[in-house]
Amino acid sequence: MIESGVYKAGSNAEIDKAIETRERLMDFLRQSQNDNSSFSNTLAGLRNALRIAANG
């Protein structure tokens, strides 16, 4: 429904939050092969992405 354009943003808050969370997680996961990150920085980035999505 979302990709086909049938879903209208705002019609379901839970779906809207899931869409936003997915977008933030996909942004977090994008990394070039040559980018390096320590485990602690990776974990902090993931927590940040989820916290931002949870807080809107």
Side-chain angles (χ1 to χ4, degrees):
M1 286 178 50
I2 295 165
E3 290 180 8
S4 64
V6 176
Y7 177 74
K8 300 294 182 205
S11 62
N12 184 307
E14 190 171 334
I15 292 174
D16 291 341
K17 183 69 73 176
I19 292 168
E20 178 185 349
T21 300
R22 181 186 184 281
E23 291 172 1
R24 292 185 187 278
L25 285 173
M26 294 305 291
D27 288 341
F28 167 77
L29 292 171
R30 285 189 188 94
Q31 175 178 327
S32 76
Q33 250 182 329
N34 298 323
D35 286 343
N36 295 311
S37 181
S38 68
F39 179 74
S40 60
N41 284 346
T42 300
L43 191 55
L46 177 59
R47 285 182 175 148
N48 188 48
L50 293 175
R51 185 176 308 115
I52 291 170
N55 294 329

